[in-house]
Amino acid sequence: MMTIKEKVNVEEQAIRAKKAAKVLSTLSTEKKNEALMTIANFLEREYHEILKANVVDLDNGKTKGYDEAFMDRLSLSKERIFEFANGLRNVAILDDPTGKVLSGWTLDNGLTVEKISVPLGVIGMIYEARPNVTVDATGLALKSGNAIVLKGGSSAISSNERIVDVIHQALEETDIPKDAVQFIATTDREATKQLFTMKQHIDVLIPRGGGSLINAVVNNATVPVLETGVGNCHIYIDKEADLQKALSIFVNAKTDRPAVCNAAETLIVHKEWFTNHHQHLVATLAEHNITVYGDEHIISVIPDARKATEHEWANEFLNMSIAIKAVDHVSEAIEHIDEYGTKHSEAIITENKETAHEFFKQVDAAALYHNASTRFTDGGALGFGAEIGISTQKLHARGPMGLPALTTVKYIMTGDGQIR
Amino acid sequence: MMTIKEKVNVEEQAIRAKKAAKVLSTLSTEKKNEALMTIANFLEREYHEILKANVVDLDNGKTKGYDEAFMDRLSLSKERIFEFANGLRNVAILDDPTGKVLSGWTLDNGLTVEKISVPLGVIGMIYEARPNVTVDATGLALKSGNAIVLKGGSSAISSNERIVDVIHQALEETDIPKDAVQFIATTDREATKQLFTMKQHIDVLIPRGGGSLINAVVNNATVPVLETGVGNCHIYIDKEADLQKALSIFVNAKTDRPAVCNAAETLIVHKEWFTNHHQHLVATLAEHNITVYGDEHIISVIPDARKATEHEWANEFLNMSIAIKAVDHVSEAIEHIDEYGTKHSEAIITENKETAHEFFKQVDAAALYHNASTRFTDGGALGFGAEIGISTQKLHARGPMGLPALTTVKYIMTGDGQIR
């Protein structure tokens, strides 16, 4: 599969990015915004070229027999490219997350202390098929004064390469070093692995994609990782749940976009509620063609439900299936979430505020919902303006990550000879 | 060296800690403070028992021929134990970092969003000889609602075990599960390695100690790490530096406590300043018995200076030696710091504010100083109240880490049936 062109030097590219990051960190907000607007304009101007490159990827994908969902993620159109451009314009109008004095004070000896936000430096982005990540991640990196090294999925290599060409043209137009955006133009997996350990040149790795990609990065990288995305999310319907709220929230969380990380994968029902309302639940499941995997209690009541195994409790379906478990108490629901949840988004449906409070206190996850759909765990939906991913880890950033997640701090001390 | 007693089950201990962490996260501030005060009182009451255990470690250390500095770090006294107790009392009066609403807003659809600070869960502390870390880390963990797994250095095992016994007594007295503080009572290095990959049970690892310990953790852990401590710190004396400030800051940063991470390890001098003032510098170096390793320019001027090699530029001396480099421009100093610094603390001495500003902009480090000593990079000195370590990484926390570094966030969404 390797061609001459694919003999890339990943380390050299990372070093170039590091050097460019120095320049990026000193750019004014206006200059960074100008770059984003220019990239947006150039993407629209060159959309035809990008579509031509996309056809190469699509043809390749057909030959390889990728499934429909995969081909859909890979596929570009004039409309989608114009959406990418508008996404960049939206990032341009967001507040610059760098250069903020987050706190400041003066010591008794007269030394002034300021904690200021600064760019992280170089972001390594490792992702799968979607070419929109190439544009989105570049926009967020540049806006926050960071350089970026992009390693996209092999299936989108032609589209990504063309998009990065356009980005480079726009950077040249705005007098910003194009080395700030590095694209690793190879389908060789070794190139990705090289990024894992380049602590000298890369400040953070952000994997975007399926569980196996994310685990490969987390388990092998010595560069710090911002872990994103796997969401084995639960909806718990309490005995004091309102029937209509319960059903509509469940349906929304399960069926609105089943393939995304904030979709519901397991429904936990209190046995009392289930006894009273199972006919409504069964009708709703049937209406939406949802396949059910249940525990003993559930399969004894719901026709056609299959027996849920460890596999169903522990993994995302990412399709129109649901695992259902019946419990005697909210604490049993919390224990199940503790065991199988991925600390992403968890919801409780109840009219009892104390039960909801208990759920909020006990469940360890980035986003917790009382009487609302888990689908709101999203930078756009929650009003963050833009999102680099949804963190399921606890350090640095948790939940939807906006621009501030791409910054760190410096403590700046100014004195006139103070010693200790 | 292994005894029957040392057959510990690290995973079981981590699981117990995780379970206890659930309880810890729901404790009131008052309850946590009561625990800290009780531990403080019990440490004072039991100081004699702790000293007896310390004698065992000291005897062992003598047999093994540890050096004086090491024995000093290992050695306890009534005064030191009473200092540990007062340290806990000081942590008790600090603001509780958990349960704070960091931000909050309401979406157009009526869904309320709150971002609140919560404990991380279980902290894994891996450290070397100093038994004070056992007390300090426990105090900070409990105050921030976290459980802690302690793996101290083998040389202090007897002291640490006795200290943890006392902590356990105090927790029982205050009705807090003693499982919240786990001590891995073994000298077996495999036990430490087991902690590296226990992502299910441990939320963060904090290594405290020398570079090799820290690197072993960073390079092998899949549990997220808060990297602390290695400080290859530089003092840059600019051509426009004031002579007295330059010398006194250099002497303080180099000689006040040469073995600590915020001590100066390399002096960079502008050639103009050096030409004018080298006699004063040489006299100062001689007065403090500082051994000099220099570049060509330096060794041609300073008598007895040895030639600095890559080793001296790249590593901490942690003793009364200094590497000295002469440069033609501040940019050359910045390049040297880029290459050899550990992003800990870097200082510029100059009367030119613009040069200082350039240094602040360009140097990538946790703490930057203009006309002040690097020795101020310390939670106590900067007024943080307490410190779990000094982070040299960029994610989560950078620089001195106080109690907030031991917290993460939850997004709490409250609705009445909102769907997307």
Side-chain angles (χ1 to χ4, degrees):
Chain A
M1 276 293 298
M2 290 262 292
T3 66
I4 298 289
K5 189 182 173 190
E6 293 191 341
K7 284 201 181 141
V8 296
N9 185 330
V10 178
E11 183 163 24
E12 192 191 301
Q13 288 192 260
I15 290 169
R16 283 166 182 269
K18 188 84 192 173
K19 213 170 159 191
K22 281 249 163 202
V23 181
L24 265 283
S25 73
T26 62
L27 294 180
S28 68
T29 304
E30 293 66 33
K31 192 77 188 164
K32 293 186 285 190
N33 291 344
E34 187 194 331
L36 296 189
M37 302 302 268
T38 309
I39 296 171
N41 295 340
F42 279 34
L43 284 172
E44 288 178 349
R45 199 185 70 188
E46 303 287 326
Y47 83 89
H48 198 71
E49 295 299 313
I50 296 168
L51 289 182
K52 273 203 274 184
N54 188 236
V55 167
V56 176
D57 289 331
L58 291 172
D59 286 348
N60 235 319
K62 259 177 237 155
T63 312
K64 288 191 180 152
Y66 290 137
D67 67 27
E68 206 178 320
F70 191 94
M71 292 296 279
D72 177 58
R73 290 198 290 273
L74 188 54
S75 168
L76 295 178
S77 64
K78 180 178 172 182
E79 289 67 34
R80 291 189 83 173
I81 293 168
F82 276 56
E83 273 171 31
F84 299 171
N86 279 328
L88 291 175
R89 294 186 182 106
N90 288 335
V91 172
I93 59 175
L94 292 177
D95 194 22
D96 189 331
T98 67
K100 296 201 175 305
V101 180
L102 303 174
S103 55
W105 60 96
T106 303
L107 301 183
D108 290 343
N109 63 10
L111 189 70
T112 65
V113 182
E114 283 188 321
K115 182 181 180 179
I116 60 167
S117 64
V118 298
L120 281 169
V122 179
I123 294 163
M125 194 83 195
I126 301 174
Y127 53 108
E128 292 180 337
R130 304 174 191 265
N132 66 305
V133 176
T134 308
V135 180
D136 293 351
T138 297
L140 293 169
L142 295 177
K143 175 77 189 204
S144 50
N146 292 289
I148 189 163
V149 177
L150 299 158
K151 177 66 187 73
S154 306
S155 54
I157 190 165
S158 173
S159 313
N160 285 334
E161 203 164 16
R162 196 70 198 88
I163 290 171
V164 173
D165 276 350
V166 174
I167 292 170
H168 282 166
Q169 288 168 32
L171 291 179
E172 283 188 334
E173 176 82 13
T174 32
D175 279 328
I176 291 175
K178 64 178 191 175
D179 276 345
V181 180
Q182 295 289 334
F183 178 65
I184 310 290
T186 176
T187 57
D188 182 4
R189 279 164 182 250
E190 286 306 311
T192 311
K193 288 190 191 155
Q194 283 183 58
L195 294 174
F196 290 175
T197 52
M198 284 189 187
K199 282 194 78 170
Q200 283 302 315
H201 316 305
I202 297 177
D203 293 290
V204 61
L205 289 177
I206 306 178
R208 288 275 303 261
S212 67
L213 170 76
I214 291 167
N215 284 332
V217 178
V218 170
N219 292 330
N220 297 299
T222 54
V223 177
V225 176
L226 283 180
E227 196 171 342
T228 66
V230 176
N232 192 21
C233 306
H234 300 73
I235 306 276
Y236 167 60
I237 301 181
D238 186 49
K239 67 176 172 186
E240 294 173 73
D242 173 85
L243 175 63
Q244 286 318 315
K245 285 180 196 167
L247 293 181
S248 93
I249 289 169
F250 164 66
V251 168
N252 180 257
K254 178 67 257 177
T255 71
D256 181 41
R257 284 187 70 191
V260 297
C261 61
N262 58 22
E265 305 291 356
T266 295
L267 178 67
I268 307 175
V269 288
H270 193 286
K271 283 179 188 163
E272 267 184 54
W273 185 91
F274 186 66
T275 301
N276 295 333
H277 302 296
H278 64 84
Q279 282 158 325
H280 295 284
L281 178 60
V282 169
T284 301
L285 291 163
E287 185 194 338
H288 291 88
N289 280 314
I290 298 168
T291 304
V292 175
Y293 295 78
D295 63 10
E296 292 293 350
H297 190 89
I298 298 296
I299 59 176
S300 70
V301 176
I302 299 186
D304 305 326
R306 306 174 203 182
K307 181 83 173 67
T309 67
E310 188 68 15
H311 183 264
E312 281 78 34
W313 301 127
N315 292 283
E316 297 173 279
F317 291 106
L318 301 172
N319 63 27
M320 291 288 273
S321 303
I322 190 81
I324 309 184
K325 181 186 173 68
V327 297
D328 286 307
H329 193 270
V330 60
S331 62
E332 207 184 325
I334 293 169
E335 272 167 35
H336 182 89
I337 293 170
D338 267 359
E339 189 167 353
Y340 297 106
T342 53
K343 304 192 195 317
H344 192 294
S345 301
E346 309 293 351
I348 180 171
I349 320 299
T350 185
E351 295 303 302
N352 186 322
K353 282 187 183 172
E354 276 175 37
T355 311
H357 184 69
E358 186 65 17
F359 188 86
F360 281 174
K361 270 217 130 169
Q362 295 284 344
V363 176
D364 183 18
L368 298 170
Y369 293 87
H370 174 205
N371 288 345
S373 169
T374 53
R375 289 276 296 120
F376 287 103
T377 305
D378 174 271
L382 290 182
F384 285 49
E387 177 189 289
I388 191 86
I390 295 169
S391 163
T392 51
Q393 67 185 22
K394 293 184 177 179
L395 296 191
H396 189 65
R398 197 182 200 195
M401 295 185 287
L403 287 167
L406 299 181
T407 68
T408 182
V409 298
K410 274 181 184 174
Y411 285 93
I412 299 286
M413 270 64 73
T414 307
D416 55 3
Q418 281 83 350
I419 59 171
R420 230 180 130 184
Chain B
M1 276 297 294
M2 290 262 292
T3 66
I4 296 291
K5 191 181 172 194
E6 293 188 342
K7 285 199 179 141
V8 296
N9 186 329
V10 178
E11 184 165 25
E12 194 192 299
Q13 288 192 261
I15 291 170
R16 282 166 183 268
K18 190 83 189 175
K19 214 168 158 194
K22 280 250 163 200
V23 180
L24 266 282
S25 73
T26 62
L27 293 180
S28 68
T29 304
E30 292 66 33
K31 192 75 189 165
K32 293 186 285 191
N33 291 346
E34 187 194 330
L36 296 188
M37 301 303 269
T38 308
I39 296 171
N41 295 341
F42 279 34
L43 284 172
E44 289 178 348
R45 199 186 69 187
E46 303 287 325
Y47 83 90
H48 198 69
E49 294 300 313
I50 297 168
L51 289 182
K52 272 202 275 184
N54 189 237
V55 168
V56 176
D57 289 331
L58 292 172
D59 285 349
N60 234 318
K62 258 177 240 156
T63 311
K64 288 191 180 151
Y66 291 136
D67 67 25
E68 206 178 323
F70 191 93
M71 292 297 278
D72 178 58
R73 290 198 290 275
L74 187 55
S75 168
L76 295 179
S77 63
K78 180 178 172 183
E79 289 65 34
R80 292 188 85 173
I81 294 168
F82 277 55
E83 272 171 30
F84 298 172
N86 278 329
L88 290 175
R89 294 187 183 107
N90 288 335
V91 172
I93 59 175
L94 293 176
D95 196 22
D96 189 332
T98 68
K100 296 201 174 305
V101 180
L102 302 174
S103 56
W105 61 95
T106 304
L107 301 184
D108 290 343
N109 63 10
L111 188 70
T112 66
V113 182
E114 282 188 322
K115 183 181 180 181
I116 60 166
S117 63
V118 296
L120 282 169
V122 179
I123 294 162
M125 195 82 197
I126 300 175
Y127 53 108
E128 291 180 338
R130 303 173 193 264
N132 65 307
V133 176
T134 308
V135 179
D136 293 351
T138 298
L140 293 168
L142 295 178
K143 176 77 189 205
S144 51
N146 291 289
I148 190 164
V149 177
L150 299 158
K151 177 65 187 77
S154 305
S155 55
I157 191 167
S158 173
S159 313
N160 285 333
E161 204 165 14
R162 195 71 198 89
I163 290 170
V164 173
D165 276 349
V166 174
I167 292 170
H168 282 165
Q169 287 168 32
L171 291 178
E172 284 189 333
E173 177 82 12
T174 32
D175 278 328
I176 290 176
K178 65 180 191 174
D179 276 346
V181 180
Q182 295 288 334
F183 178 66
I184 311 290
T186 177
T187 56
D188 183 4
R189 279 166 181 247
E190 286 306 311
T192 310
K193 288 191 192 153
Q194 283 184 58
L195 294 174
F196 290 176
T197 53
M198 284 190 188
K199 282 194 79 171
Q200 285 302 313
H201 317 306
I202 297 177
D203 294 289
V204 61
L205 288 177
I206 307 178
R208 287 275 303 263
S212 66
L213 170 77
I214 292 167
N215 285 332
V217 178
V218 169
N219 292 331
N220 296 299
T222 54
V223 177
V225 176
L226 283 180
E227 197 172 339
T228 67
V230 176
N232 192 22
C233 306
H234 301 73
I235 306 277
Y236 167 60
I237 301 180
D238 187 47
K239 68 175 172 187
E240 294 173 72
D242 173 84
L243 175 63
Q244 285 320 313
K245 285 180 195 167
L247 293 182
S248 93
I249 289 169
F250 164 66
V251 167
N252 180 256
K254 179 66 254 176
T255 71
D256 181 42
R257 283 187 70 189
V260 297
C261 61
N262 58 22
E265 305 291 357
T266 295
L267 177 67
I268 306 175
V269 288
H270 193 287
K271 283 181 186 162
E272 267 184 54
W273 185 90
F274 186 65
T275 302
N276 294 333
H277 302 296
H278 63 84
Q279 282 158 325
H280 294 285
L281 179 61
V282 168
T284 302
L285 290 164
E287 185 192 336
H288 292 87
N289 281 313
I290 298 169
T291 304
V292 175
Y293 294 80
D295 64 10
E296 293 292 351
H297 190 90
I298 297 297
I299 59 177
S300 71
V301 175
I302 299 186
D304 305 327
R306 310 174 200 179
K307 181 85 172 66
T309 66
E310 188 68 14
H311 184 265
E312 280 79 34
W313 302 127
N315 292 284
E316 298 172 280
F317 291 106
L318 301 173
N319 62 27
M320 291 290 275
S321 302
I322 190 82
I324 309 184
K325 180 185 174 70
V327 296
D328 286 308
H329 194 270
V330 60
S331 63
E332 206 184 325
I334 293 169
E335 272 167 36
H336 181 89
I337 294 169
D338 267 359
E339 190 168 352
Y340 295 107
T342 52
K343 303 190 195 320
H344 192 295
S345 300
E346 308 293 351
I348 180 171
I349 320 297
T350 186
E351 294 303 303
N352 186 321
K353 282 185 183 174
E354 276 175 36
T355 311
H357 184 69
E358 187 65 16
F359 188 86
F360 281 173
K361 271 217 131 171
Q362 295 284 345
V363 177
D364 184 15
L368 298 170
Y369 293 86
H370 174 206
N371 289 346
S373 169
T374 53
R375 289 275 297 122
F376 286 103
T377 305
D378 173 272
L382 291 181
F384 286 49
E387 179 189 288
I388 191 84
I390 295 169
S391 163
T392 50
Q393 68 185 22
K394 293 184 178 179
L395 296 191
H396 189 65
R398 198 181 201 198
M401 295 186 285
L403 286 168
L406 299 182
T407 67
T408 182
V409 297
K410 274 181 183 174
Y411 286 93
I412 299 288
M413 270 63 74
T414 307
D416 55 3
Q418 280 84 351
I419 59 172
R420 234 181 127 185

